[in-house]
Amino acid sequence: MEELLKKTASEQRKALLNKEISAVELVNAEYKRIEEVDEKLGAFNSLCKEQAIETAKEVDKKIAEGEILPPLAGIPLALKDNINLKGTKTTASSKILENFVSPYDATVSVKLKENLIPILGKVNLDEFAMGSSTENSAFKLTRNPWDTNKVPGGSSGGSAASVAGYEATISLGSDTGGSIRLPASFCGIVGMKPTYGRVSRYGLIAFASSLDQIGPFGRCVEDTALLLEAISGHDSHDSTSLNMPVPAFSKALTNDIKGAKIGVIKELLAEGVAPDVKTAVENAIKKYKELGAEIIEISLPLLEYSIGVYYILATAEASSNLARFDGVKYGHRTKDAKNLLEMYTKTRAEGFGDEVKRRIMLGTYALSAGYYDAYYKKAQQLRRLIKEDFDKAFEKVDVLVSPTCPNTAFEIGSKISDPLSMYLTDIGTISANLAGIPGMSLPCGYDSDGMPIGLQILAPALQEEKLFNIAYNFEQAVKDTQKCPLI
Ligand code: GLN
């Protein structure tokens, strides 16, 4: 059974269909594993055993009746704790929502249920998804399964650690500036941010609405393709969701990539990249050449502004989105306020952590009269230019590659008192959110301490099929060199 937990979704599905194991047994085995390791890993904020077992029972019934099942039926999943699942606590790892129970399902949660995917529980994140290490959670630290002294990355640290630590087979996270790709890279798994609008954001607690996307984590490219297929599609509850057909992403994995044009982002392999990361990514590029791809160097000169642009736009949107947490309708309310204004200010002072407060203040400043033109408007203009840089690049190449992050997972505590150095962790990932394009991180090697390194692949909007196929070809070519985390 231990071995089965380490398998991919397709392998687990085979075991289910061959009746080597029941879906209920598989879910129970995951809970046993969680009991054994989560004290050390700290991935889960809460469990929803009853719901998960109910779903598993339904899967077993359908298997017994010989019904055809959706591809991920019975495959245990962990859900980021900023996604609503009816009847469970949805906290965004914030004190202000510590006791909030979701009165409704996010659209992705509805889709998970329709696909008979058992949801094991809700996993930890940086408070309101603001961070790169999951150290900003109000509740607990999540540790990297490869080295528990190191961070799992963030903000979807629980989503990545649970899959890498074999507590779940697949998971969902959200990515506003890299929060899926960065933890996937730090934890040695596959993580994917879809095209903006591909997946409904209805029921995702908003951080920066023009950048947020929900996306899949898995141990292999195929698992993420299957999970994206399950959660994608138009939704009338989200006006930014795209009314486009959803291709069968997992069917796109079989083509060879001879003649594919792969662009290497020059600026992301320049100075500041750790030597081991550089070598691993250069080796991946060599591998692509061997597979018949054409390699072309691409310059994205505006990339250096992406962090600055992001920290104006994301904080501006956050300051507005988080205005709703005021102690009136839901969430924490201060116990000792003498009047309404004091109720608001005390509630927010008590409920939000330092990083969230920092972002609200930055965003409010950027939007305030007199500064709007200098900051917010300029940042919007630059965002457009960054997108145009990508459009031009994609006239020449099919996809772009780079390190997901210039470094591997760092020690817990080493960056937490220096927000700027934490922000710089996202230099490779943020621009994809600004441009709205899909991006993936997949394992491409290890540093001298044995920590995983991620290769980022970016594709033009709505070309996830191409992205999955190019990633899959690399994964298959290097699969014998993949290692397992130590935990
Ligand atoms: N690390 C980035 C931030 O703190 C991105 C977070 C995310 O993608 N949710 O804003």
Side-chain angles (χ1 to χ4, degrees):
M1 179 61 86
E2 276 277 295
E3 277 312 300
L4 189 63
L5 295 188
K6 298 188 175 173
K7 299 276 162 97
T8 64
S10 321
E11 291 164 330
Q12 291 180 351
R13 178 181 172 88
K14 241 181 252 152
L16 288 174
L17 296 182
N18 293 340
K19 308 208 170 89
E20 287 158 36
I21 183 179
S22 73
V24 170
E25 282 166 345
L26 181 57
V27 164
N28 279 330
E30 291 289 16
Y31 281 125
K32 188 164 160 262
R33 170 86 185 158
I34 292 168
E35 226 167 83
E36 282 161 13
V37 300
D38 208 57
E39 212 166 305
K40 235 196 273 170
L41 273 188
F44 282 84
N45 279 350
S46 60
L47 301 176
C48 34
K49 282 192 184 169
E50 254 172 55
Q51 285 202 29
I53 300 281
E54 262 325 292
T55 308
K57 275 187 186 157
E58 217 179 311
V59 172
D60 286 335
K61 189 163 156 263
K62 289 200 191 295
I63 291 177
E65 286 163 358
E67 271 195 48
I68 295 174
L69 292 168
L72 291 174
I75 307 300
L77 171 138
L79 192 64
K80 190 173 180 180
D81 201 10
N82 60 353
I83 299 175
N84 279 285
L85 174 66
K86 196 173 173 177
T88 68
K89 271 198 197 176
T90 302
T91 69
S93 287
S94 177
K95 265 208 219 140
I96 211 155
L97 287 176
E98 190 165 8
N99 297 311
F100 176 72
V101 175
S102 300
Y104 73 106
D105 276 327
T107 298
V108 292
S109 300
V110 173
K111 287 182 182 268
L112 294 174
K113 289 179 182 177
E114 285 167 0
N115 280 278
L116 300 176
I117 300 173
I119 302 169
L120 298 172
K122 311 292 278 292
V123 277
N124 200 18
L125 61 147
D126 285 296
E127 184 176 3
F128 285 104
M130 296 175 186
S132 304
S133 65
T134 314
E135 291 165 292
N136 292 335
S137 165
F139 306 134
K140 53 158 81 169
L141 280 175
T142 297
R143 294 169 183 277
N144 192 312
W146 296 78
D147 177 348
T148 50
N149 292 317
K150 295 195 167 153
V151 301
S155 65
S156 312
S159 311
S162 58
V163 171
Y166 308 120
E167 296 174 306
T169 311
I170 46 178
S171 66
L172 287 185
S174 63
D175 189 311
T176 307
S179 278
I180 292 177
R181 289 159 288 157
L182 182 73
S185 151
F186 281 10
C187 290
I189 57 171
V190 182
M192 205 264 176
K193 180 199 96 70
T195 304
Y196 184 78
R198 184 62 100 180
V199 179
S200 169
R201 291 180 296 109
Y202 179 71
L204 166 71
I205 295 180
F207 163 10
S209 309
S210 78
L211 302 159
D212 298 339
Q213 264 299 284
I214 296 173
F217 285 91
R219 276 180 218 126
C220 65
V221 173
E222 187 190 21
D223 288 4
T224 57
L226 287 167
L227 185 51
L228 183 62
E229 240 165 87
I231 60 168
S232 292
H234 181 245
D235 177 17
S236 58
H237 290 308
D238 172 2
S239 62
T240 62
S241 95
L242 295 167
N243 201 348
M244 301 289 248
V246 178
F249 302 118
S250 58
K251 301 273 182 318
L253 303 180
T254 46
N255 307 330
D256 73 48
I257 55 163
K258 287 204 180 67
K261 291 193 173 121
I262 296 188
V264 178
I265 305 176
K266 186 174 137 206
E267 288 78 5
L268 292 177
L269 271 179
E271 86 263 31
V273 182
D276 290 346
V277 173
K278 193 162 188 225
T279 307
V281 170
E282 282 168 352
N283 286 340
I285 295 166
K286 268 189 219 138
K287 188 52 89 185
Y288 271 121
K289 220 179 205 168
E290 282 168 36
L291 292 170
E294 188 186 337
I295 309 297
I296 299 166
E297 190 180 73
I298 293 285
S299 172
L300 296 172
L302 296 177
L303 208 79
E304 62 170 309
Y305 301 109
S306 58
I307 291 193
V309 168
Y310 172 86
Y311 275 95
I312 291 171
L313 298 180
T315 57
E317 293 186 31
S319 73
S320 154
N321 273 328
L322 270 59
R324 73 192 71 176
F325 301 104
D326 57 6
V328 176
K329 289 207 187 76
Y330 38 66
H332 171 75
R333 179 186 295 183
T334 187
K335 298 251 169 340
D336 59 339
K338 289 192 240 16
N339 54 45
L340 184 64
L341 186 62
E342 205 177 290
M343 194 282 283
Y344 288 146
T345 51
K346 278 201 170 161
T347 294
R348 287 166 69 82
E350 290 164 8
F352 290 138
D354 288 349
E355 184 60 29
V356 174
K357 286 177 185 157
R358 184 179 296 124
R359 306 269 179 127
I360 292 172
M361 285 190 281
L362 277 171
T364 308
Y365 181 80
L367 286 176
S368 53
Y371 294 112
Y372 182 91
D373 282 0
Y375 296 114
Y376 187 77
K377 196 169 154 204
K378 267 245 154 64
Q380 287 286 32
Q381 289 165 336
L382 255 164
R383 177 178 189 175
R384 180 73 199 191
L385 293 176
I386 290 170
K387 185 195 169 289
E388 285 173 2
D389 259 7
F390 276 110
D391 291 346
K392 272 184 235 146
F394 287 129
E395 283 170 11
K396 297 193 205 111
V397 295
D398 293 301
V399 295
L400 289 164
V401 297
S402 72
T404 305
C405 179
N407 49 270
T408 52
F410 44 88
E411 299 275 325
I412 290 170
S414 63
K415 292 194 187 207
I416 196 70
S417 51
D418 182 359
L420 205 55
S421 92
M422 192 73 93
Y423 296 173
L424 289 172
T425 314
D426 300 319
I427 180 71
T429 48
I430 271 178
S431 53
N433 301 74
L434 294 172
I437 58 175
M440 176 187 282
S441 179
L442 72 159
C444 73
Y446 305 89
D447 71 6
S448 52
D449 293 332
M451 296 304 285
I453 296 169
L455 174 73
Q456 176 175 246
I457 309 179
L458 303 174
L462 295 171
Q463 300 206 10
E464 281 91 352
E465 284 170 285
K466 196 187 271 179
L467 174 51
F468 279 122
N469 180 41
I470 287 178
Y472 181 77
N473 272 269
F474 176 76
E475 177 188 60
Q476 294 307 303
V478 302
K479 75 171 183 255
D480 294 340
T481 62
Q482 301 290 20
K483 299 179 192 166
C484 289
L486 295 175
I487 191 142

